[in-house]
């Protein structure tokens, strides 16, 4: 009997080992088959069948595989075949899609063999054809992103059975049926993004029933008709219905809305007072519609509004002289309407730090860009009869003028190129400089063809000037010849000076000593790529100056980077200065952390190639006068001495290092979260934090001993637990277990939403008592 039991135990152990080995082998086979079906994209060159264990591969911005219990749970691939076609007939396009032998049906059937898959992101891979119904076989799927491909036909109805889905992103495809009415069957749906397709028909009223939605993006389609009341979507933060054919009155919006983009439609009627009650609203764009009446004055004074665009409507009447603007309002556009009277003082050109556009009205200011008062009053009197006609005529005139200007510019450019070749100095820079070494994984081809895959940078940066080259004399004048009084300090990337340009703009100037392995041409390409990084939560690069030391030998002596000056100091300084009871409460810290996470997510995914190893630490989180977070010292790895020294690395090593950098940003951000929780000393105690302290941080009852008193006094335990949980994942010892910045951002926004709900309940309870 004893021998029999031993034999059964050995058989059982052997069977578990065999099944585990078979499971790994089977999944490896599936992944290699997917690589074949995708026609061997260069992003998967390092996949091979020589015993590669995919579950232990390092992640990169192009490829990420995550496993749990030896089962693939996350598959993310970003290719290099973005959707650039204006029209698509449903068949393969040479050099844009996969070949005509590609079968979407076979591809999805192969994917379905990854039975534990929870996250699937296949972007810019040239996948084409209708999305088959068998996609529902991925029954464990929670996150689906198939954007920037060539998918056509209807969105498959079987998708409605995938009840675990919380995120559906099908942007930049060619789906051409109606928006399905069954999305409300996805009880966990939080993000629905279908922008830039060819969807048509009415706006489905069922979308107004999905109370879990946080993001609803249906822009750039052909959706028509009426938008129902969506004020019941209590979790909704972002709604974008722009560039459609919607023609109802403006819909009612939920109280917690942060971003509303409804431009380029045919919305009519007045801007209701309900918009004046959206206290969380930061970005409102209802331009290019048919809205009438006077805009509610309270919209301008919303506590969090930073971007307000009411342009190109039929708004009339005058704005109150005592109009009050919100403290965070940075951009206002009321141009091309029928407004009369004076311009309120808070919207005048003297308003510091606020960009205001008001041309094309009948206001009593800036007469050169305003119509006469009679123009607006007559238009209002006859709007029922001739309003539409006047708009058409105006559009035709403006369109004709634009066409004429474009033609004139084209002729000028041709003449200029024919008779005015580039100057000798620029030719020397581009042709006599040394060889273009490819360092940090950025070849010259990648640098010149870098492209954005995100539109996030367009929000809140409209007033920033374009990046330009500076002369050294300008910088000397701005800093009084780099006088000690202008010296701010010295960081890991060189000295910092504060200066004032000739036009009065205050700037921060960084002095860099780059690697001598860069040619001037290569460095200019890198600086031009760095200049493309524009985001509301990044310190803006205004320009640069390349100095060769006056040797005229085409070698680089010094590089100066000119940034916008951020007035409010850095994050940890605010901690130390505010210990007298004025410190940031939990909601304010969450807002700062969310801003930084958005910035880093943009650096990783908003431009190809992405920017990694971004020196993330609290000292590099600056706060402007409105306490809006701006990240500094980002992207400098592509021109720093450290990166330049790797010019001789082979391609495989470069890819490996890029994957490591991806993890470095996540890991470093984990300690930023830690410092926000326990105060200034957190960053200094990365290695010294004891197991007891970790235990206190993860135990609700013991957190009082570790967490900052201001946090404990102003947070809800549920919100705090969410942040502690994502922080633990960020500083996990195994890099493959760390989350993406998309996951980090989602968790922080959810924590902020939970905290906001708790604060509202607390206020309601206090007022009731």
């Amino acid at each position: 009997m004893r021998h029999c039991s031993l034999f059964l135990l050995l058989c059982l152990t052997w069977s578990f080992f065999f099944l585990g080995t078979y499971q790994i082998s089977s999944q490896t086979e599936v992944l290699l088959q997917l690589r074949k079906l995708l026609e061997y994209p260069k992003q998967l060159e390092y996949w091979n069948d020589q015993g590669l264990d995919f579950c232990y591969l390092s992640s990169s911005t192009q490829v990420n595989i995550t496993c749990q219990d030896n089962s693939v749970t996350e598959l993310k691939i970003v290719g290099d075949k973005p959707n650039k076609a204006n029209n698509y007939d449903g068949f393969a396009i040479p050099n844009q899609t996969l070949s005509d032998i590609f079968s979407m049906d076979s591809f999805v059937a192969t994917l379905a063999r990854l039975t534990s898959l929870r996250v699937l992101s296949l972007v810019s891979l040239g996948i084409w054809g209708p999305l088959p119904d068998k996609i529902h076989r991925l029954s464990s799927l929670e996150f689906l992103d198939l954007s920037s491909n060539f998918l056509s036909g209807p969105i498959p109805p079987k998708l409605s059975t995938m009840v675990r889905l919380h995120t559906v992103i099908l942007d930049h495809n060619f789906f051409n049926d109606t928006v399905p009415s069954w999305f409300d069957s996805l009880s966990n749906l939080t993000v629905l993004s279908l922008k830039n397709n060819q969807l048509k028909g009415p706006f489905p009223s069922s979308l107004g029933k999905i109370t879990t939605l946080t993001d609803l993006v249906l822009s750039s389609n052909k959706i028509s008709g009426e938008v129902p009341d969506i004020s019941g979507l209590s979790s909704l933060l972002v709604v974008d219905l722009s560039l459609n054919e919607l023609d109802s009155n403006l819909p009612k919006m939920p109280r917690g809305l942060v971003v509303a983009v409804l431009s380029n439609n045919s919305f009519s009627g007045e801007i209701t007072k309900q918009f004046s009650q959206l206290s969380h609203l930061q970005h409102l764009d209802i331009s290019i519609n048919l809205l009438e009446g006077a805009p509610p004055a309270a919209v301008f004074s919303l506590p969090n509004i930073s971007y307000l665009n009411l342009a190109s409507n039929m708004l009339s009447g005058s704005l109150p002289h005592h109009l009050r603007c919100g403290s965070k309002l940075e951009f206002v556009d009321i141009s091309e309407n029928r407004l009369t009277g004076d311009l309120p003082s808070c919207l005048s050109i003297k308003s510091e730090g606020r960009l205001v556009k008001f041309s094309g009205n009948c206001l009593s200011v800036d007469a050169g860009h305003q119509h006469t008062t009679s123009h607006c009053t007559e238009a209002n009197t006859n709007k029922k009869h001739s309003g539409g006609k006047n708009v058409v005529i105006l559009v035709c005139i403006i369109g004709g003028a634009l066409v004429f200007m474009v033609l004139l510019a084209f002729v000028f450019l041709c003449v200029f190129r024919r008779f005015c070749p580039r100057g000798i100095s620029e030719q020397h820079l581009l042709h006599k400089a040394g060889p273009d070494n490819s360092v940090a994984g950025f070849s010259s081809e990648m640098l010149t063809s870098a492209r954005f895959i995100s539109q996030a940078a367009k929000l809140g940066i409209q007033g920033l000037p374009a990046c330009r080259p500076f002369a050294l004399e300008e910088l000397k004048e701005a800093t009084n010849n780099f006088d000690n009084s202008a010296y701010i300090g010295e960081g890991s990337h060189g000295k910092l000076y504060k200066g004032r340009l000739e036009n009065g703009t205050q700037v921060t100037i960084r002095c860099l000593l780059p690697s001598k392995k860069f040619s001037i041409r290569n460095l200019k390409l890198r600086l031009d790529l760095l200049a493309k990084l524009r985001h509301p939560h990044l310190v803006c690069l205004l320009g640069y100056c390349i100095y060769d030391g006056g040797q005229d030998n085409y070698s680089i002596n010094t590089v100066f980077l000119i940034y916008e000056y951020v007035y409010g100091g850095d994050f940890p300084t605010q901690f130390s200065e505010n210990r007298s009871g004025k410190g940031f409460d939990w909601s304010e810290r969450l807002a700062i952390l969310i801003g930084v996470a958005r910035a880093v997510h943009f650096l990783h995914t908003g431009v190809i190639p992405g920017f990694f190893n971004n020196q993330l630490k609290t000292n590099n989180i600056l706060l402007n006068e409105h306490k809006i977070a701006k990240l500094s010292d980002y992207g400098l790895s592509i021109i720093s001495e450290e990166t330049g020294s790797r010019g001789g690395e082979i391609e495989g090593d470069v890819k490996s290092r890029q994957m490591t950098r991806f993890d470095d940003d996540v890991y470093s951000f984990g300690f930023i979260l830690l410092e926000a929780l326990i105060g200034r000393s957190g960053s200094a105690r990365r290695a010294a934090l004891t197991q007891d302290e970790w235990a206190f941080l993860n135990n609700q009852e013991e957190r009082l001993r570790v967490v900052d008193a201001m946090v404990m006094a102003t947070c809800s335990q549920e919100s705090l637990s969410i942040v502690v949980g994502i922080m633990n994942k960020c500083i996990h010892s195994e890099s493959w277990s760390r989350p993406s910045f998309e996951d980090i951002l989602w968790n922080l926004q959810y924590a902020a939403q939970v905290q906001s709900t708790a604060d509202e309940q607390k206020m309601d309870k206090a007022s009731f008592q």
Side-chain angles (χ1 to χ4, degrees):
M1 185 68 179
R2 186 175 182 182
H3 292 292
C4 182
S5 299
L6 183 60
F7 175 78
L8 288 174
L9 181 61
L10 289 172
C11 289
L12 189 61
T13 303
W14 177 83
S15 64
F16 278 126
F17 174 80
F18 176 81
L19 288 172
T21 305
Y22 174 80
Q23 184 179 29
I24 297 173
S25 175
S26 174
Q27 292 192 124
T28 299
E29 180 185 341
V30 171
L31 293 171
L32 293 175
Q33 180 65 18
L34 290 174
R35 177 191 180 213
K36 179 180 178 181
L37 292 171
L38 291 172
E39 300 173 2
Y40 303 97
K42 65 181 182 181
Q43 292 78 13
L44 306 182
E45 285 177 351
Y46 61 96
W47 286 17
N48 56 63
D49 55 1
Q50 300 177 358
L52 187 66
D53 192 344
F54 288 93
C55 289
Y56 290 92
L57 289 178
S58 298
S59 300
S60 74
T61 188
Q62 282 83 28
V63 184
N64 178 43
I65 296 176
T66 303
C67 298
Q68 185 174 345
D69 297 327
N70 292 321
S71 295
V72 176
T73 58
E74 180 174 327
L75 176 62
K76 294 183 178 181
I77 306 174
V78 178
D80 57 359
K81 296 178 181 289
N83 178 350
K84 295 182 179 179
N86 293 323
N87 295 300
Y88 177 61
D89 59 4
F91 297 96
I93 303 176
N95 301 320
Q96 292 192 51
T97 69
L98 298 175
S99 68
D100 55 3
I101 64 172
F102 172 76
S103 169
M104 190 64 190
D105 196 77
S106 299
F107 182 72
V108 172
T110 304
L111 270 174
R113 293 170 59 190
L114 299 174
T115 56
S116 299
L117 200 62
R118 296 201 298 266
V119 175
L120 177 64
S121 179
L122 303 172
V123 177
S124 298
L125 290 167
I127 297 170
W128 63 274
L131 185 61
D133 251 334
K134 63 179 61 175
I135 188 74
H136 82 283
R137 296 181 184 177
L138 292 165
S139 57
S140 298
L141 209 60
E142 300 172 5
F143 181 102
L144 176 64
D145 183 358
L146 300 177
S147 55
S148 295
N149 284 293
F150 292 79
L151 300 173
S152 57
I155 299 174
K158 284 287 188 179
L159 208 66
S160 62
T161 65
M162 303 171 68
V163 293
R164 297 187 181 183
L165 276 174
H166 62 70
T167 299
V168 177
I169 304 175
L170 302 174
D171 301 336
H172 302 285
N173 280 288
F174 292 92
F175 292 107
N176 54 14
D177 202 28
T178 58
V179 180
S181 59
W182 42 254
F183 276 116
D184 59 334
S185 64
L186 302 177
S187 56
N188 296 305
L189 190 63
T190 58
V191 176
L192 177 61
S193 188
L194 307 174
K195 68 182 176 184
N196 203 7
N197 279 278
Q198 297 176 354
L199 296 166
K200 55 195 175 185
F203 187 101
S205 59
S206 58
L207 292 180
K209 303 175 184 178
I210 312 175
T211 56
T212 54
L213 269 183
T214 61
D215 295 65
L216 176 61
V217 182
L218 303 177
S219 57
S220 300
N221 282 286
K222 300 177 182 179
I223 305 169
S224 59
E226 180 180 358
V227 179
D229 181 353
I230 58 174
S231 60
L233 303 182
S234 57
S235 300
L236 195 63
L237 301 176
V238 176
V239 59
D240 187 352
L241 306 178
S242 59
L243 287 161
N244 278 291
E245 300 170 2
L246 301 165
D247 58 8
S248 63
N249 291 336
L250 290 175
K252 289 186 177 180
M253 296 291 178
R255 288 177 57 189
L257 197 66
V258 175
V259 174
V261 184
L262 307 173
S263 57
N264 285 272
N265 281 285
S266 297
F267 287 112
S268 57
E270 297 185 348
I271 304 173
T272 62
K273 292 184 179 179
Q274 194 259 348
F275 279 82
S276 306
Q277 301 167 3
L278 304 178
S279 59
H280 297 280
L281 196 62
Q282 298 176 13
H283 183 104
L284 176 61
D285 187 349
I286 48 179
S287 60
I288 316 179
N289 280 290
L290 304 173
L291 299 171
E292 301 173 333
V299 172
F300 295 82
S301 60
L302 288 170
N304 289 295
I305 193 75
S306 62
Y307 179 95
L308 179 61
N309 193 343
L310 311 178
S312 300
N313 281 284
M314 296 186 289
L315 301 174
S316 59
S318 59
L319 296 172
H321 181 70
H322 60 276
L323 181 75
R324 186 171 63 88
C325 292
S327 61
K328 298 181 180 180
L329 189 59
E330 298 177 351
F331 178 87
V332 180
D333 191 350
I334 55 175
S335 59
E336 304 302 328
N337 280 289
R338 301 172 182 173
L339 299 172
T340 57
D342 295 328
L343 190 68
S345 58
C346 81
L347 296 180
S348 69
I349 56 176
K350 297 179 181 179
S351 299
E352 184 177 352
R354 181 174 298 135
L355 178 63
V356 180
K357 297 183 178 181
F358 50 85
S359 62
N361 285 285
C362 299
L363 298 167
S364 58
V365 293
D366 191 26
H369 296 88
Q370 299 291 321
H371 300 292
T372 61
T373 304
S374 60
H375 171 86
C376 294
T377 55
E378 290 174 4
N380 291 331
T381 303
N382 301 317
K383 63 185 177 182
K384 292 184 179 180
H385 304 287
S386 59
K389 183 178 179 181
N390 288 337
V391 171
V392 172
I393 292 174
L394 182 62
V395 169
C396 290
I397 293 173
I398 294 173
L402 288 175
V403 170
F404 176 77
M405 291 174 64
V406 169
L407 289 174
L408 188 63
F410 179 74
V411 172
F412 176 81
L413 183 61
C414 291
V415 173
F416 183 82
R417 287 187 173 179
R418 173 67 178 84
F419 296 104
C420 301
R422 282 182 298 179
I424 297 298
S425 60
E426 182 67 7
Q427 291 180 12
H428 278 310
L429 287 179
L430 296 182
H431 299 292
K432 289 190 176 182
D436 292 334
N437 298 323
S438 175
V439 297
F442 296 94
S443 65
S444 296
E445 180 182 358
M446 291 177 73
L447 291 165
T448 53
S449 63
R451 61 189 183 275
F452 286 94
I453 60 172
S454 168
Q455 299 300 313
K458 291 185 179 180
L459 299 181
I461 61 168
Q462 287 82 352
L464 295 176
C467 183
R468 68 175 178 91
F470 281 76
L472 183 60
E473 288 71 22
E474 289 183 84
L475 305 186
K476 288 182 177 180
E477 184 177 348
T479 59
N480 194 19
N481 200 20
F482 295 99
D483 188 77
N484 286 335
S485 60
Y487 179 72
I488 299 176
E490 185 168 1
S492 57
H493 289 287
K495 296 180 179 180
L496 287 171
Y497 295 87
K498 179 181 177 181
R500 184 182 294 273
L501 301 180
E502 187 177 5
N503 63 3
T505 302
Q506 285 192 305
V507 294
T508 300
I509 301 171
R510 181 180 293 280
C511 177
L512 287 173
L513 300 176
S515 167
K516 291 185 173 63
K517 296 192 177 187
F518 290 126
S519 67
I520 293 182
R521 177 181 182 275
N522 192 284
L523 181 60
K524 282 174 65 67
L525 290 173
R526 293 169 184 278
L527 290 171
D528 288 340
L529 178 56
L530 193 60
K532 290 183 178 182
L533 300 177
R534 292 295 179 96
H535 190 275
H537 295 288
L538 292 178
V539 177
C540 176
L541 178 65
L542 302 178
Y544 56 82
C545 171
I546 301 176
Y547 178 59
D548 62 4
Q551 301 299 315
D552 195 28
N553 57 3
Y554 312 112
S555 64
I556 302 162
N557 184 281
T558 310
V559 176
F560 299 93
L561 300 181
I562 298 88
Y563 292 95
E564 64 172 320
Y565 182 76
V566 181
Y567 291 85
D570 58 35
F571 195 19
T573 300
Q574 296 280 359
F575 273 139
S576 58
E577 289 179 354
N578 288 311
R579 286 182 178 175
S580 59
K582 300 180 181 179
F584 293 131
D585 63 24
W586 181 235
S587 294
E588 291 173 320
R589 298 189 196 202
L590 278 177
I592 292 169
L593 294 171
I594 289 171
V596 177
R598 284 174 176 162
V600 182
H601 181 256
F602 170 73
L603 292 171
H604 284 188
T605 63
V607 63
I608 296 177
F611 282 75
F612 312 100
N613 193 20
N614 288 292
Q615 302 291 324
L616 298 185
K617 51 187 177 182
T618 51
N619 288 338
N620 291 338
I621 301 173
L622 306 183
L623 303 175
N624 68 9
E625 61 272 27
H626 304 302
K627 295 184 180 180
I628 295 175
K630 287 180 172 285
L631 182 67
S632 66
D633 285 9
Y634 56 88
L636 295 182
S637 59
I638 68 166
I639 54 176
S640 66
E641 179 76 35
E642 176 187 1
T643 304
S645 65
R646 296 176 186 153
E649 289 177 345
I650 62 172
E651 184 180 358
D653 290 339
V654 170
K655 288 182 179 179
S656 175
R657 289 184 183 273
Q658 279 196 346
M659 296 171 192
T660 303
R661 289 181 206 133
F662 179 82
D663 287 328
D664 285 346
D665 277 350
V666 174
Y667 187 74
S668 298
F669 190 77
F671 283 95
I672 290 177
L673 294 175
L674 176 63
E675 188 162 335
L677 287 169
I678 68 176
R680 171 76 181 182
S681 60
S683 60
R685 295 197 292 168
R686 287 193 177 193
L689 215 60
T690 66
Q691 290 185 352
D692 287 342
E693 288 173 310
W694 279 112
F696 291 153
L697 200 57
N698 287 283
N699 187 320
Q700 286 192 6
E701 297 178 358
E702 300 289 346
R703 283 177 186 165
L704 191 60
R705 305 191 189 185
V706 178
V707 177
D708 185 76
M710 178 62 75
V711 172
M712 292 301 299
T714 57
C715 76
S716 74
Q717 286 299 318
E718 183 182 359
S719 176
L720 184 63
S721 296
I722 294 168
V723 176
V724 170
I726 195 66
M727 181 203 69
N728 286 333
K729 292 180 180 179
C730 289
I731 41 187
H732 197 281
S733 58
E734 299 289 348
S735 61
W736 54 267
S737 294
R738 296 173 195 153
S740 66
F741 259 91
E742 186 174 356
D743 297 328
I744 294 171
L745 184 56
W746 188 92
N747 277 274
L748 290 176
Q749 289 175 332
Y750 181 55
Q753 179 185 340
V754 169
Q755 184 62 42
S756 177
T757 302
D759 290 341
E760 288 179 3
Q761 291 175 348
K762 188 176 180 180
M763 290 177 62
D764 291 343
K765 185 177 180 181
S767 61
F768 179 77
Q769 293 176 344

